[in-house]
Amino acid sequence: MFNNLSEKLDKAFHILKGHGKITEVNVADTLKEVRRALLDADVNFKIAKDFTTRVKEKALGQDVLTTLQPGQLLIKIVKDELVELMGGDVAGVNLSGNPSIILMSGLQGSGKTTFSGKLANFLKTKKNKKVLLVACDIYRPAAINQLHVVGDQVGVEVYSEPENKNAVSIAENAIKHAKANGFNVVIVDTAGRLAVDEEMMIEIANVHKAIQPNETLFVVDSMTGQDAVNTAKAFNDRLNFDGVVLTKLDGDNRGGAAISIKSVVNKPIKFIGTGEKMDAIDVFYPDRMADRILG
Ligand code: GDP
């Protein structure tokens, strides 16, 4: 995960690690390398530039050059800024509803259905919740079947109405079913398209309005870099979602989406997907991710 970025940052910090005493030129060179590493990771130009500007200001403010271990201090400033950029404190998922309703949004292929199963499994085994999965994809019968397969894998009931072509009514019926049968959490998996399109946006916005979820999650493939960030913006403008799920981090060498998404949509990354199996889910901790990136 993010190997390329880690290697490049490590190289950037080499300049600092080699010196007992460092100069303003060393700092400037390092920050230039840090910026280049972020750009190579597919971080947006402005975000990368603002990042290094903030690090520089902090370094000046803390008189880095006069301290005992200036290199270490600068690396710490970079880490703190990275944590801040990725979201600061850990964000939880809102389970205050009765039942709590979680709506999944995102493009087709982003990993929504897989993640719905992972989250159901996570809430069932880690939080002791009775979870209902709901298949709201009215276009692709295969998508409904896929959710049933996933539900079977994790031992969670799946609600579907294959003949019903109205996503809002399926979601509403599912919630009634959940209330009548003592479910604590309802996870609604919706239809995605290959690209952002108006029909999909209207449909998911209608479902969102009708069921008033406690939590709306936007699922996105981290390997798509800046595209992931742009798609997040389009969905957020429409749904004002609560959090992001970054999938396929196991295959992401660059890390641009993880680093940029929070500052563009101002919503936290809540979970990450790290593989195809049902247990390949992690809560996203910005500080742990920064540690991982900085090695
Ligand atoms: P959906 O169309 O958004 O519901 O996407 P799917 O859940 O069908 O996922 C699309 C593909 O991505 C499937 O082949 C999944 O197995 C795969 N996938 C989903 N999440 C992950 C992940 O975290 N890591 C990896 N390596 N593959 C994933």
Side-chain angles (χ1 to χ4, degrees):
M1 196 190 291
F2 306 169
N3 291 346
N4 289 353
L5 178 60
S6 299
E7 267 170 38
K8 287 190 177 126
L9 288 175
D10 192 44
K11 249 195 204 145
F13 293 144
H14 237 80
I15 308 172
L16 302 178
K17 286 175 181 162
H19 296 65
K21 226 175 149 40
I22 60 174
T23 65
E24 243 171 75
V25 176
N26 296 142
V27 173
D29 285 349
T30 303
L31 292 183
K32 210 172 176 187
E33 289 299 318
V34 167
R35 183 153 100 193
R36 192 168 297 156
L38 291 174
L39 292 176
D40 286 348
D42 206 14
V43 170
N44 162 286
F45 179 78
K46 184 167 184 313
I47 294 174
K49 186 163 178 276
D50 291 350
F51 180 88
T52 43
T53 303
R54 278 198 307 278
V55 172
K56 195 171 165 193
E57 279 166 6
K58 265 200 179 170
L60 284 175
Q62 296 182 20
D63 262 337
V64 161
L65 294 180
T66 62
T67 56
L68 222 48
Q69 288 186 305
Q72 290 309 318
L73 186 55
L74 192 66
I75 293 170
K76 185 178 177 308
I77 294 174
V78 170
K79 190 201 153 183
D80 290 348
E81 278 304 315
L82 209 48
V83 173
E84 201 52 43
L85 194 60
M86 289 191 292
D89 287 339
V90 184
V93 56
N94 178 355
L95 295 176
S96 65
N98 188 24
S100 301
I101 300 166
I102 304 176
L103 179 66
M104 295 295 175
S105 65
L107 296 180
Q108 189 178 318
S110 60
K112 267 194 317 302
T113 303
T114 306
F115 183 76
S116 297
K118 289 178 181 178
L119 184 61
N121 189 41
F122 176 86
L123 294 174
K124 179 186 153 182
T125 56
K126 299 264 175 14
K127 308 267 176 195
N128 220 2
K129 301 288 183 194
K130 186 176 174 188
V131 185
L132 181 68
L133 282 163
V134 183
C136 260
D137 192 331
I138 54 176
Y139 308 101
R140 296 187 310 133
I144 301 178
N145 291 340
Q146 191 193 345
L147 194 66
H148 277 282
V149 170
V150 159
D152 283 348
Q153 273 177 31
V154 297
V156 164
E157 185 177 323
V158 177
Y159 184 95
S160 66
E161 296 183 30
E163 303 306 320
N164 189 344
K165 294 294 171 209
N166 181 336
V168 170
S169 106
I170 299 171
E172 287 175 338
N173 292 341
I175 291 165
K176 274 187 212 142
H177 175 78
K179 282 184 177 155
N181 293 281
F183 285 90
N184 312 118
V185 181
V186 180
I187 299 176
V188 181
D189 187 18
T190 58
R193 300 279 164 83
L194 291 174
V196 172
D197 86 19
E198 190 53 22
E199 204 183 336
M200 170 185 70
M201 282 298 181
I202 291 172
E203 181 180 292
I204 190 150
N206 285 340
V207 173
H208 184 262
K209 199 167 152 217
I211 65 175
Q212 304 269 317
N214 300 86
E215 181 87 27
T216 302
L217 294 175
F218 168 70
V219 181
V220 69
D221 177 344
S222 68
M223 292 197 287
T224 57
Q226 284 197 52
D227 274 350
V229 178
N230 295 335
T231 311
K233 191 168 179 328
F235 274 80
N236 193 48
D237 287 348
R238 209 57 178 256
L239 293 178
N240 191 19
F241 57 66
D242 301 296
V244 176
V245 176
L246 265 187
T247 63
K248 312 189 194 181
L249 248 75
D250 49 310
D252 183 6
N253 257 328
R254 304 206 289 170
I259 291 169
S260 321
I261 230 162
K262 161 76 176 16
S263 67
V264 174
V265 293
N266 199 23
K267 299 290 165 61
I269 298 170
K270 296 199 169 185
F271 292 97
I272 54 176
T274 54
E276 292 187 89
K277 295 226 177 81
M278 284 297 120
D279 59 359
I281 169 177
D282 277 310
V283 172
F284 182 78
Y285 296 101
D287 61 337
R288 286 190 203 168
M289 192 53 78
D291 278 339
R292 225 157 163 169
I293 292 171
L294 293 176

